[in-house]
Amino acid sequence: MTELANILRRQIEVTGPITLADYMSACLLHPKYGYYTTQDALGVDGDFTTAPEISQMFGELIGLCVAQAWMDQGAPDRFALVELGPGRGTLIADILRATVQVPGFHMAAKLHLVEASDRMRTLQAAALPAHHPTWHDTVDSLPEDMPVYVIANEFFDALPIRQFQRDPKGWREVVVGLGEDGTLQRGLSDAAPIDALNSRLDDTAPGALVETCAHGTAVVDAIARRIVQNGGMALIVDYGGWHSDGDTFQAVRGHRPVDPFAEPGRADLTAHVDFEALARAALIAGCAASQFTNQGVFLERLGITPRAQSLAKGLTGDALDAHVAAHRRLTHPDEMGSLFRVLGLYPVTESPPPGLDP
Ligand code: SAH
């Protein structure tokens, strides 16, 4: 049993079962025993690999997309270049390298990173030796006096969700309580009507499970309000669907699925992103949202194939094989190409970022 399991058990003994969102928050970000505060999450030796860790091409193309969007909006001479949840800093480092030749871009960019984990901040600082980012615990302290160009890759899937199971008498919330043997276990609260889920009564039947992520919609609201006020855009890349449908809560350790309640703090916990909910939050804030687009299509439109061919010219043997495999992994529909999706947010008076349709 982990230290964190003991802490949560004592808490549940006192307060009763906790929501899945409280459980996820503690497991991922507990200051002493949380996953992101203690583990080497990312990369071949970690628990999962993200697109920028697979190939430099991902960050390069995103960088050029951001730079083009910045030029399309008149190249403002001061803007916040923001990444949410930068992990090891690989993506933002690739974005900065790819945009070094774009006249005026680096001069105008103020780097802001939203990162909850001090351990991750240290890795990010090491990946950006020539830059001086400002770190934020949350999006709430991001600048409000300049355009914001925001990138979020595999950030929203790490935000805490709640789960509700439909019942003839309303909804039963999935909670984390204690089994007879004192171990952490999934349970269900008593049924109650929940106004916020009324819109799901038409497309679900009793027994159906839906997920909500209030944290995610609050993040989008904060970003969208800044885009409406001062311009800029956001690119949200993640796995998920257009509509929350069913149980997508999962734990991964050492690149393998594990029981999410067995060793709290030792495994990565995620859920699929409900892009419709994020797009709706942006529209309510007065911002435009692009078509929901597969990552493979998005990267092809940005020119990943010519870029892959040009990088391949300098490679032979195993390095060439790895490069070809990375291109396929990022774009092929059987790999990340259609599992991962992209949503762009932008001012209603502007065009969507390159690679995305209005
Ligand atoms: N974008 C990176 C890493 C994704 S992993 C990549 O593509 O490789 C998720 C990142 O989000 C980690 O850096 C983690 O510490 C951070 N994170 C998770 N939950 C967070 C939260 N609630 N607030 C801020 N950062 C968070």
Side-chain angles (χ1 to χ4, degrees), residues 29 36 50 52 83 85-87 115-117 120 153-155 159 215:
L29 295 173
Y36 282 113
T50 58
E83 187 178 356
E115 174 57 67
S117 151
M120 288 292 177
N153 183 58
E154 290 211 43
F155 171 74
L159 300 182
H215 195 135

Side-chain angles (χ1 to χ4, degrees), residues 193-242:
I194 296 178
D195 287 350
L197 291 177
N198 282 350
S199 64
R200 299 306 307 268
L201 292 175
D202 292 340
D203 69 344
T204 58
L209 189 133
V210 301
E211 295 176 339
T212 62
C213 183
H215 195 135
T217 47
V219 168
V220 165
D221 178 64
I223 302 270
R225 280 190 293 103
R226 283 167 173 78
I227 293 173
V228 169
Q229 209 175 340
N230 297 309
M233 60 92 164
L235 283 177
I236 299 172
V237 186
D238 228 307
Y239 49 96
W242 185 244

Side-chain angles (χ1 to χ4, degrees), residues 67 70-71 75-76 99-108:
W70 170 75
M71 288 188 277
T99 51
V100 89
Q101 311 277 7
V102 178
F105 186 81
H106 277 220
M107 277 287 286

Side-chain angles (χ1 to χ4, degrees), residues 307-331:
R307 179 64 185 139
Q309 285 162 345
S310 126
L311 283 171
K313 286 193 192 122
L315 300 171
T316 54
D318 288 350
L320 179 60
D321 291 347
H323 171 65
V324 172
H327 178 206
R328 182 187 150 90
R329 198 161 163 205
L330 290 178
T331 55

Side-chain angles (χ1 to χ4, degrees), residues 124-153:
Q124 292 153 20
L128 302 165
H131 298 271
H132 303 283
T134 305
W135 276 277
H136 302 260
D137 290 333
T138 73
V139 288
D140 299 321
S141 53
L142 287 173
E144 293 187 87
D145 58 349
M146 61 179 98
V148 292
Y149 289 74
V150 182
I151 302 106
N153 183 58

Side-chain angles (χ1 to χ4, degrees), residues 12-266:
I12 292 167
E13 273 164 4
V14 175
T15 63
I18 58 174
T19 66
L20 209 50
D22 288 341
Y23 179 72
M24 257 181 109
S25 296
C27 289
L28 294 179
L29 295 173
H30 185 280
K32 207 153 158 211
Y33 303 114
Y35 178 72
Y36 282 113
T37 27
T38 60
Q39 311 279 308
D40 277 326
L42 287 145
V44 184
D45 301 329
D47 293 312
F48 60 101
T49 307
T50 58
E53 303 292 337
I54 292 170
S55 166
Q56 69 187 71
M57 294 186 289
F58 184 79
E60 289 170 351
L61 294 169
I62 300 255
L64 296 177
C65 172
V66 173
Q68 184 63 52
W70 170 75
M71 288 188 277
D72 291 345
Q73 292 190 29
D77 59 9
R78 201 166 153 262
F79 71 93
L81 179 60
V82 179
E83 187 178 356
L84 310 182
R88 299 197 336 191
T90 310
L91 175 54
I92 193 70
D94 287 339
I95 289 172
L96 288 164
R97 189 169 38 74
T99 51
V100 89
Q101 311 277 7
V102 178
F105 186 81
H106 277 220
M107 277 287 286
K110 311 286 166 227
L111 195 52
H112 290 265
L113 305 179
V114 176
E115 174 57 67
S117 151
D118 285 339
R119 185 186 169 90
M120 288 292 177
R121 288 184 187 196
T122 308
L123 296 176
Q124 292 153 20
L128 302 165
H131 298 271
H132 303 283
T134 305
W135 276 277
H136 302 260
D137 290 333
T138 73
V139 288
D140 299 321
S141 53
L142 287 173
E144 293 187 87
D145 58 349
M146 61 179 98
V148 292
Y149 289 74
V150 182
I151 302 106
N153 183 58
E154 290 211 43
F155 171 74
F156 283 89
D157 66 66
L159 300 182
I161 56 148
R162 291 170 71 180
Q163 289 186 331
F164 298 91
Q165 189 165 23
R166 189 160 164 199
D167 180 273
K169 294 203 204 80
W171 298 89
R172 301 182 70 184
E173 178 157 15
V174 173
V175 291
V176 183
L178 300 178
E180 304 229 312
D181 57 357
T183 55
L184 297 170
Q185 273 185 17
R186 180 184 180 280
L188 285 171
S189 72
D190 291 340
I194 296 178
D195 287 350
L197 291 177
N198 282 350
S199 64
R200 299 306 307 268
L201 292 175
D202 292 340
D203 69 344
T204 58
L209 189 133
V210 301
E211 295 176 339
T212 62
C213 183
H215 195 135
T217 47
V219 168
V220 165
D221 178 64
I223 302 270
R225 280 190 293 103
R226 283 167 173 78
I227 293 173
V228 169
Q229 209 175 340
N230 297 309
M233 60 92 164
L235 283 177
I236 299 172
V237 186
D238 228 307
Y239 49 96
W242 185 244
H243 209 54
S244 142
D245 182 16
D247 179 4
T248 72
F249 181 53
Q250 62 176 22
V252 168
R253 190 170 182 203
H255 299 264
R256 292 224 165 74
V258 294
D259 174 355
F261 304 110
E263 290 191 287
R266 300 260 170 84

